[in-house]
Amino acid sequence: MRLSQYFLPTLKETPAEAQIASHRLMLRAGMIRQSSAGIYSWLPLGFRVLKKIEQIVREEQDAAGCQEMLMPTIQPAELWRESGRYEDYGKEMLRIVDRHGRDLLYGPTNEEQLTEIFRASARSYRDLPKLLYHIQWKFRDEVRPRFGVMRGREFLMKDSYSFDLDFAAAKRAYNKMFVTYLRTYHRMGLKAIPMAAETGPIGGDLSHEFIILADTGESEVFCHQDLLDFQVPTGEIDFETADLEPIVAKWTSLYAAADDMHDPAACPVAAADLVSRRGIEVGHIFYFGTKYAEPMRALVTTPEGGEVAVHMGSYGIGVSRLVGAIIEASHDEAGIIWPEPVAPFRVGLINLRVGDDACDTVAADLYGKLRAAGVDVLYDDRDERAGAKFAAMDLIGLPWQLMVGPRGVKAGTVEVKHRATGERAELAPEAALDRVAGTGR
């Protein structure tokens, strides 16, 4: 993509309403624009990141045996009355009455909707287990929406739901999602720490939230220092047959708690081993047994001929929230530093002397070869000052910068810069291509 043709409305000044780094940088980098309080339009650069994150989440859900579907944003209130949550949920739920006087709501979550779908078709233990998910926009009418996409009213979320015959089977589903979440965040270049959590309005008696560490995090977290060195299980895992309990047991064997669950007087970790950092919640998983199945009559027959309510769990990842969380964890004074798997483009190609025949020729050749190699590249072909181009590329945070200038072209080289480390190298064009394409690093 040529930057001269790309819609990238960057800002030089930070808007007054932006209080945290991710909000400031997303606005300045032309990723989002506010539509109303807590509601944002995703502009091309931000949308590319959002879709990259969404695809990683999707691939890991599919690998764990989840089946993707799509449920509506608007739900009938009667389902929530069946579960008993309609009145309990409070003012965060956006309630709607249609022209026929029917009570509806903009879904903040989908336990009731999917329980109704399941109960309409499942009759027997033979219909179990099931793991279903969708990626859909949600709405919670926050009283004070703030911090940009970190705490907006409208947000994109992956929520999956498990249906099982008993606790033992439900725990296997819970373990699948626990391990899947570790792998999902690892693929995004993040280290997420699972921490025992309150279940809140979702309910249940088993819950973990996944928190990434960031100096500007919204809450204080405490954990045993050895937990930071645990290695995420990568490679092929057969989620159908693998016993994942040892992995879950290892990751939950050491103390980890957010500030709302941390009691300094009762903390079992010695002060020398206790790490206190700031963190951001990026996912939450719940097992809530028959909380929804019993009142909503989601029943199946057992092998013995009896009838039982199914055991359920739900598992959420804030896809749009992750965009802000990644920026909070990975930025500097100049701008964003995207981990490569979620970067909107891998390479920023900068022509420092547009109109110079030699520079134009080398830059055009590099641009064509990068595109032919399948590398996402943003080519700054604007007639702007070199300093403005450097600042723009640092602001939007692409992993690699490839700079073509008269001095280098005359010497037969181009300059390569790695955004995360700041390392620079003068290389021949072909060697530079290999470096930024990942084949000669």
Side-chain angles (χ1 to χ4, degrees):
M1 175 60 67
R2 292 177 178 268
L3 188 51
S4 61
Q5 301 170 6
Y6 199 58
F7 184 58
L8 186 66
T10 56
L11 302 175
K12 291 183 178 179
E13 302 297 327
T14 299
E17 72 271 17
Q19 301 176 40
I20 62 172
S22 60
H23 194 190
R24 292 194 299 269
L25 291 171
M26 290 182 76
L27 289 170
R28 288 194 55 220
M31 296 178 64
I32 57 171
R33 283 295 178 268
Q34 181 170 303
S35 174
S36 60
I39 300 175
Y40 293 87
S41 295
W42 290 79
L43 307 186
L45 192 77
F47 189 64
R48 286 180 72 96
V49 178
L50 190 70
K51 299 304 285 187
K52 290 278 187 78
I53 292 172
E54 178 184 322
Q55 187 58 27
I56 291 173
V57 170
R58 174 177 289 111
E59 289 171 3
E60 291 300 322
Q61 290 291 296
D62 292 348
C66 294
Q67 302 173 57
E68 187 172 11
M69 58 185 295
L70 186 63
M71 289 176 278
T73 57
I74 305 299
Q75 302 178 31
E78 62 197 54
L79 294 178
W80 286 65
R81 290 191 174 109
E82 276 191 64
S83 73
R85 284 208 300 172
Y86 186 69
E87 299 301 335
D88 293 344
Y89 210 87
K91 292 184 178 181
E92 285 188 352
M93 179 187 289
L94 182 62
R95 293 166 169 84
I96 306 165
V97 178
D98 71 10
R99 66 172 64 189
H100 302 291
R102 289 184 290 247
D103 290 331
L104 304 169
L105 59 97
Y106 193 137
T109 183
N110 282 78
E111 283 80 8
E112 286 83 358
Q113 182 86 67
L114 194 50
T115 301
E116 191 279 329
I117 293 170
F118 177 84
R119 74 181 179 186
S121 58
R123 297 286 183 269
S124 166
Y125 70 94
R126 294 186 179 90
D127 297 318
L128 301 172
K130 289 289 183 291
L131 265 171
L132 304 167
Y133 79 100
H134 75 158
I135 301 173
Q136 179 62 290
W137 291 94
K138 304 279 195 295
F139 189 91
R140 291 177 188 158
D141 200 2
E142 295 273 358
V143 63
R144 287 184 296 274
R146 54 202 174 114
F147 304 152
V149 301
M150 293 285 289
R151 188 167 293 179
R153 294 195 295 165
E154 186 182 51
F155 52 95
L156 185 63
M157 186 172 180
K158 185 284 302 178
D159 41 321
S160 47
Y161 302 87
S162 60
F163 298 84
D164 291 280
L165 185 61
D166 54 27
F167 172 76
K171 185 58 164 61
R172 286 193 292 272
Y174 189 93
N175 289 349
K176 280 185 182 182
M177 288 298 99
F178 189 104
V179 174
T180 295
Y181 276 38
L182 292 174
R183 291 160 59 91
T184 298
Y185 300 124
H186 179 72
R187 280 190 59 187
M188 296 177 193
L190 301 171
K191 180 64 171 289
I193 307 298
M195 301 189 178
E198 296 282 0
T199 56
I202 300 293
D205 54 11
L206 177 60
S207 174
H208 286 88
E209 57 187 1
F210 289 76
I211 291 181
I212 62 171
L213 302 181
D215 291 339
T216 53
E218 61 195 345
S219 60
E220 192 171 11
V221 297
F222 304 85
C223 68
H224 194 290
Q225 62 179 0
D226 291 350
L227 193 55
L228 303 179
D229 297 324
F230 280 9
Q231 297 299 307
V232 172
T234 57
E236 292 295 323
I237 292 180
D238 185 346
F239 281 94
E240 292 303 312
T241 61
D243 179 9
L244 302 176
E245 183 62 34
I247 299 174
V248 176
K250 176 183 176 181
W251 280 84
T252 56
S253 64
L254 296 178
Y255 183 80
D259 47 13
D260 60 339
M261 297 283 284
H262 177 66
D263 180 357
C267 180
V269 183
D273 294 324
L274 185 66
V275 174
S276 172
R277 299 274 295 275
R278 306 298 298 181
I280 301 168
E281 180 192 339
V282 291
H284 208 149
I285 62 176
F286 304 84
Y287 161 75
F288 39 72
T290 59
K291 173 181 170 63
Y292 299 92
E294 285 185 352
M296 297 186 70
R297 304 291 293 169
L299 309 175
V300 296
T301 57
T302 66
E304 295 76 28
E307 193 174 60
V308 296
V310 295
H311 287 242
M312 294 173 56
S314 69
Y315 316 90
I317 289 179
V319 177
S320 54
R321 180 180 173 85
L322 265 166
V323 180
I326 290 169
I327 294 172
E328 292 293 332
S330 186
H331 69 275
D332 60 18
E333 292 184 358
I336 302 164
I337 304 173
W338 289 116
E340 292 191 15
V342 300
F345 297 91
R346 180 179 174 86
V347 178
L349 172 62
I350 306 173
N351 185 345
L352 297 175
R353 188 69 61 82
V354 173
D356 179 272
D357 288 343
C359 288
D360 290 348
T361 298
V362 172
D365 183 63
L366 289 169
Y367 181 56
K369 288 178 177 177
L370 285 165
R371 296 184 68 194
V375 176
D376 287 334
V377 54
L378 184 62
Y379 174 25
D380 190 344
D381 60 339
R382 301 170 301 158
D383 188 12
E384 289 276 358
R385 295 179 297 103
K389 294 189 173 193
F390 294 148
M393 281 297 173
D394 280 347
L395 174 62
I396 65 176
L398 307 185
W400 295 95
Q401 296 176 18
L402 195 54
M403 292 159 276
V404 179
R407 181 183 60 79
V409 168
K410 186 175 182 180
T413 63
V414 295
E415 186 175 9
V416 177
K417 175 184 173 182
H418 189 232
R419 177 70 177 92
T421 63
E423 294 177 359
R424 296 172 178 262
E426 297 276 351
L427 300 173
E430 291 302 321
L433 283 172
D434 290 341
R435 176 75 62 88
V436 301
T439 58
R441 292 177 61 182

